[in-house]
Amino acid sequence: MSPLIQNTITFVKDKLQGAEAGHDWFHIERVWKLSQKIGQSENCNLEVVELSALLHDIADSKFHDCDENLALKISRDFLENQNLSPEIIEQTLFIIKNISFKNRGEVPGDLPIELKIVQDADRLDAIGAIGIARTFNFGGFKNNLMYHPEIQPKLNMAKEEYKKNQGTTINHFYEKLLLLKDLMNTEKGKELAEKRHDFMLKFLEEFYKEWNVE
């Protein structure tokens, strides 16, 4: 491991102490490892991939009054202190800015492979068994209902509506999680997403059976 990556890990661990459990260091670590796994199959700048994966949730806007610039400022300050080239810094910040699901309508059409890799890794951690656990953890953090039969999912929400949505945790599966499999960029990402997607479908099937006491 390079000194740069070790410094970044130390910085992120310190910054995310006490973070909500779905967006803490362990989430970052999983995304970092998934990014490395996917990156091995792609022609990419692995340094940019690793930096972006480690810094992508350094200040998630939903925990900071919807401020989408704070993560960029914190990341820029850190990266500039590492004496990196302006090119590496800008590539990393571009990924941090454009990785989010809610920002997908604003992202330029021709994405660099490094963004595709980290985005796939981040989306993989939002689905499957870990994705289910993270979703219910965040729902509890927000005191949202787990499920309400009369509250329907809101599909195709605009960005601002999505940010303010206070729907149920089960609805979030339909509003985001079940959509991610078909939004994967890389072949490895698509491959890994299949099993996790199927696991969520089985979970939902069992959830409804138990909810309805079948």
Side-chain angles (χ1 to χ4, degrees):
M1 184 186 300
S2 71
L4 171 62
I5 297 303
Q6 186 57 64
N7 288 348
T8 309
I9 289 171
T10 301
F11 174 75
V12 173
K13 281 184 175 180
D14 180 65
K15 276 289 183 183
L16 294 184
Q17 286 186 36
E20 183 265 333
H23 298 81
D24 59 1
W25 161 249
F26 294 110
H27 162 63
I28 301 297
E29 184 179 40
R30 291 189 301 271
V31 171
W32 174 49
K33 290 179 177 179
L34 282 164
S35 295
Q36 290 175 301
K37 188 182 187 78
I38 297 169
Q40 290 169 2
S41 305
E42 302 290 341
N43 180 17
C44 65
N45 184 326
L46 276 173
E47 183 176 74
V48 171
V49 167
E50 290 192 65
L51 286 172
S52 304
L54 289 167
L55 292 167
H56 83 278
D57 261 348
I58 197 67
D60 190 310
S61 64
K62 58 181 166 283
F63 302 109
H64 296 276
D65 298 321
C66 297
D67 185 350
E68 295 185 37
N69 293 314
L70 181 60
L72 297 173
K73 181 182 184 307
I74 292 172
S75 297
R76 181 181 290 280
D77 289 346
F78 170 78
L79 293 169
E80 287 179 347
N81 284 332
Q82 303 304 306
N83 298 314
L84 290 166
S85 71
E87 182 182 10
I88 294 292
I89 292 173
E90 293 309 319
Q91 287 176 330
T92 303
L93 294 176
F94 180 84
I95 293 171
I96 295 168
K97 180 179 180 180
N98 291 292
I99 190 175
S100 175
F101 175 80
K102 70 179 180 299
N103 291 337
R104 65 195 183 284
E106 302 173 357
V107 176
D110 188 17
L111 301 178
I113 186 60
E114 291 80 11
L115 188 152
K116 292 179 179 180
I117 291 167
V118 182
Q119 189 174 68
D120 278 5
D122 190 36
R123 287 173 173 176
L124 282 166
D125 203 56
I127 60 178
I130 289 289
I132 292 170
R134 292 180 66 214
T135 299
F136 278 93
N137 188 87
F138 184 70
F141 178 82
K142 297 288 287 184
N143 198 31
N144 292 342
L145 291 173
M146 282 199 303
Y147 175 60
H148 194 303
E150 296 177 8
I151 301 176
Q152 297 300 306
K154 295 181 179 179
L155 305 179
N156 302 313
M157 284 183 282
K159 177 180 175 179
E160 290 305 313
E161 184 181 9
Y162 179 84
K163 286 164 62 176
K164 296 174 183 177
N165 184 35
Q166 296 290 324
T168 70
T169 298
I170 289 294
N171 280 356
H172 189 62
F173 282 77
Y174 301 95
E175 293 164 351
K176 177 181 178 181
L177 307 190
L178 292 174
L179 306 178
L180 296 179
K181 174 177 73 72
D182 293 331
L183 294 176
M184 291 292 161
N185 302 295
T186 65
E187 289 306 312
K188 191 64 176 178
K190 292 173 185 177
E191 175 192 329
L192 295 171
E194 288 287 345
K195 182 179 178 182
R196 296 184 185 217
H197 182 85
D198 290 344
F199 186 86
M200 291 192 298
L201 293 177
K202 291 173 184 174
F203 168 81
L204 288 169
E205 181 181 0
E206 184 63 25
F207 181 92
Y208 293 129
K209 286 180 180 177
E210 294 182 14
W211 185 276
N212 295 313
V213 196
E214 292 182 10

